[in-house]
Amino acid sequence: MLKAMIVDDEAPARSELKFLLDELGQTEVVAEAASVREAIEKLKEYPCDVMFLDVNMPEATGLQLAEALQHLKFPPAVVFVTAYSEFAIDAFKVNAIDYLVKPVTRAKAENLLLKLSRIEPGEKKPSPLPDESGDLFSRLLSYVNLHYSEPLQLSTLAQHFYINESYCSSLFHARLGMTYSAYIRQLRLEKAASLLRETTLPIKEISSRVGYSDFLYFSKSFHRQYEMAPTEYREYQASLKEADDHA
């Protein structure tokens, strides 16, 4: 069983993720930390195979911690769990295994555990691709993150960067453990979730803004990803904010 550490400055977020991981098995949460400094101290006492990191934390960010971990002889695999989708490119630059946007559903966690199943307890994490492909992949992600609201097929992306379509597809498989279509679908839905949380825009307009021409298909895809309808998600996030404001 893989040993895990959860690093998040919000106790409820740590508890929720721990509950989900415990329920699914395959990982044992051996330590929790509320800051980067605490995580570094606890790592000395509780070595782990995988570390779940929030991005925004007091004093130092999860990205800074992930970068520091790369200097260890046997760094733990890093999975980012955050409310923000815009740091995905930076996360994969520090060789993150995955990047999950809250709330973490059971389906997301199960997909993640499939990726982590390649790691044996106590083993060094899977090696990243060579640096030259890493730089190309960073540019691919940057482009997709800028143009996700447009019709952007894999063939179009490959042609833009003058690379073979199969090679382009293999980069997404190797770096993210998912197909290109799965990545852009996830990205669009995460952008939609962000707009639902942070704006009062009509849901149909949000659907169009993130690249969906078919509102019904958007609604079904959103429900499949977040296990709730867009309207329910907006109400749920509003209730969390209200509870936080009164805390």
Side-chain angles (χ1 to χ4, degrees):
M1 182 174 288
L2 296 175
K3 296 184 182 299
M5 182 186 298
I6 300 174
V7 186
D8 195 312
D9 61 320
E10 296 181 357
R14 295 197 305 271
S15 298
E16 186 175 339
L17 180 57
K18 183 179 185 303
F19 177 82
L20 183 57
L21 293 173
D22 288 345
E23 189 177 43
L24 291 173
Q26 300 183 46
T27 57
E28 176 191 2
V29 178
V30 296
E32 298 180 26
S35 68
V36 169
R37 181 180 300 178
E38 184 182 0
I40 292 172
E41 289 301 314
K42 287 198 171 181
L43 189 59
K44 298 173 184 176
E45 186 177 355
Y46 303 100
C48 61
D49 303 298
V50 57
M51 189 176 286
F52 294 88
L53 298 178
D54 189 12
V55 173
N56 288 332
M57 290 184 286
E59 300 177 6
T61 69
L63 290 166
Q64 291 171 314
L65 174 56
E67 185 173 0
L69 292 174
Q70 302 308 303
H71 299 290
L72 298 177
K73 185 176 181 180
F74 297 105
V78 169
V79 176
F80 283 95
V81 183
T82 177
Y84 305 94
S85 60
E86 58 264 33
F87 298 107
I89 294 175
D90 294 326
F92 291 114
K93 284 181 179 178
V94 292
N95 295 320
I97 295 293
D98 209 341
Y99 188 95
L100 305 180
V101 176
K102 299 174 183 175
V104 179
T105 63
R106 186 183 181 90
K108 283 185 185 179
E110 287 174 342
N111 287 335
L112 168 64
L113 290 175
L114 285 176
K115 296 180 187 179
L116 293 176
S117 65
R118 295 183 298 138
I119 304 173
E120 292 295 332
E123 179 188 36
K124 188 176 180 180
K125 67 176 185 175
S127 299
L129 292 178
D131 289 342
E132 58 268 22
S133 63
D135 179 63
L136 170 61
F137 188 68
S138 292
R139 289 186 285 122
L140 285 168
L141 275 185
S142 295
Y143 187 84
V144 174
N145 281 16
L146 283 174
H147 299 275
Y148 66 89
S149 62
E150 305 168 12
L152 189 58
Q153 301 297 323
L154 177 64
S155 57
T156 307
L157 182 65
Q159 288 171 11
H160 182 82
F161 284 90
Y162 302 99
I163 59 175
N164 180 275
E165 185 175 334
S166 296
Y167 177 59
C168 186
S169 176
S170 70
L171 287 175
F172 279 87
H173 271 292
R175 283 281 173 172
L176 304 184
M178 64 174 69
T179 63
Y180 167 73
S181 60
Y183 173 75
I184 195 168
R185 179 173 60 250
Q186 178 175 300
L187 175 64
R188 285 168 171 163
L189 293 173
E190 287 170 357
K191 294 292 185 181
S194 178
L195 289 171
L196 287 166
R197 289 194 309 268
E198 299 167 10
T199 75
T200 57
L201 288 170
I203 296 176
K204 281 191 176 181
E205 183 175 341
I206 290 175
S207 167
S208 177
R209 283 196 182 198
V210 300
Y212 283 88
S213 57
D214 186 330
F215 176 68
L216 181 59
Y217 180 66
F218 163 74
S219 297
K220 289 181 177 179
S221 298
F222 191 94
H223 192 283
R224 191 178 303 115
Q225 174 87 357
Y226 291 97
E227 298 179 352
M228 61 182 78
T231 304
E232 294 171 325
Y233 179 85
R234 172 171 271 170
E235 292 171 351
Y236 170 72
Q237 291 297 322
S239 67
L240 289 181
K241 185 177 185 303
E242 184 179 353
D244 188 53
D245 290 341
H246 287 87

